[in-house]
Amino acid sequence: MHRAAFLCLLAGGCAIGFAPILVRLADTGPVASAFWRTALAAPLLWLAVIPANDRIGAGRASGSWAALILAGFFFALDLGVWHWSIVWTSVANSTLLANLAPIFVTLAGWLFWKKKVTAVFLAGMVIAIAGMFVLVGPNFGIGGTRLAGDALAALTAIFYAGYFLSIKVARDAGSSTARVMAWSTTITALALLPVAMLSPQPMLPASAGGWWVLVGLAVVTQILGQGLIAYAFAHLPASLSSVSLLIQPVVATIAAWAIFGEPIGVIQVAGGAIVFAGIWVSKKGS
């Protein structure tokens, strides 16, 4: 079961790795694309919840509801900030810094849940994060909107960690994967809607092709990517899960090179190899 969950986690990370590509391709504003990602996904997610009459036991309901609401709001902050980062800096930088969430996940687990982590796991986490810096080091933005984009991506990591921990608590309280995804996605869409409508950037796509990009963002990254991750979180430690998701920047960097021509060379390849090594070590030590 744990092996299957780990494979689902990696598959979900790969799917989400295409999120910044689709955000760049969208012809709406950054917050609007975040809204449509969740708004288009929510009805499909509810189709999996309602027929199953998915409920939580009364003794665990309050904790689950609080975690679901927090997951929705953390994810709204995550997407809203991260999509701006994708527009302002390189795909590689934005995805790397957003995926520094393992630092905050592990810190929160130690502070609030007294979770212990092994030296091997910490070594794997350090290796994976070092690989991420090697991967995008040559492209770090200097000044202007590129620096602001990097800063927003780093802020995203905090919100991403909050989302990770919230869905972990919700799953541990008895919420199914379908329930977690449906409620958190719906809450995220509701939170992003007024911000998207008040933003000066376009709210609606200008063409049918623009709608297909948003549909892809909803299906590939939100339903498939986040759904697989939410399932895996029920069977794996949050710290291991968050480190393993560092595969996202690898996928995003390669896709950005292939589609947008963002540079990738020997240093980037070496960084990707270090990331995979870190993931393997952290899995052994978790």
Side-chain angles (χ1 to χ4, degrees):
M1 176 62 75
H2 284 183
R3 179 176 295 179
F6 187 69
L7 291 175
C8 286
L9 184 70
L10 293 181
C14 289
I16 295 176
F18 286 95
I21 306 302
L22 294 170
V23 171
R24 282 275 188 92
L25 293 174
D27 54 5
T28 62
V31 181
S33 64
F35 164 74
W36 288 115
R37 166 178 171 168
T38 51
L40 293 174
L44 298 176
L45 292 169
W46 279 109
L47 290 177
V49 177
I50 296 174
N53 195 25
D54 188 12
R55 297 180 182 276
I56 306 173
R60 311 171 87 180
S62 59
S64 179
W65 276 113
L68 289 172
I69 293 171
L70 281 175
F73 278 106
F74 273 125
F75 200 52
L77 291 168
D78 170 15
L79 290 184
V81 172
W82 187 44
H83 281 207
W84 271 111
S85 171
I86 293 168
V87 173
W88 282 351
T89 190
S90 69
V91 168
N93 281 27
S94 179
T95 314
L96 157 72
L97 294 170
N99 279 276
L100 292 178
I103 295 175
F104 301 105
V105 169
T106 304
L107 180 61
W110 174 67
L111 287 175
F112 301 115
W113 287 280
K114 308 302 179 185
K115 295 285 186 179
K116 294 181 179 179
V117 293
T118 67
V120 175
F121 172 82
L122 289 175
M125 184 179 73
V126 170
I127 292 170
I129 292 174
M132 290 296 91
F133 278 107
V134 171
L135 180 67
V136 301
N139 297 326
F140 268 108
I142 302 176
T145 56
R146 290 181 66 85
L147 181 60
D150 288 347
L152 289 178
L155 180 60
T156 299
I158 299 175
F159 300 139
Y160 206 11
Y163 172 70
F164 279 154
L165 293 170
S166 296
I167 63 173
K168 177 66 175 174
V169 170
R171 293 293 277 120
D172 289 346
S175 291
S176 67
T177 299
R179 182 185 181 87
V180 168
M181 290 303 302
W183 275 110
S184 63
T185 300
T186 301
I187 293 169
T188 299
L190 292 174
L192 288 172
L193 177 59
V195 181
M197 293 185 69
L198 292 174
S199 297
Q201 288 74 30
M203 178 68 181
L204 298 173
S207 64
W211 280 110
W212 279 115
V213 170
L214 296 178
V215 169
L217 195 60
V219 174
V220 175
T221 66
Q222 188 62 24
I223 296 177
L224 183 61
Q226 293 295 342
L228 288 172
I229 290 171
Y231 166 78
F233 261 49
H235 307 285
L236 298 170
S239 53
L240 170 63
S241 301
S242 57
V243 170
S244 301
L245 288 177
L246 287 171
I247 194 174
Q248 294 177 37
V250 178
V251 174
T253 299
I254 294 173
W257 165 74
I259 298 172
F260 303 126
E262 289 193 0
I264 180 172
V266 176
I267 293 178
Q268 285 75 23
V269 173
I274 295 172
V275 168
F276 284 116
I279 292 173
W280 183 81
V281 172
S282 66
K283 185 176 185 296
K284 289 293 184 183
S286 176

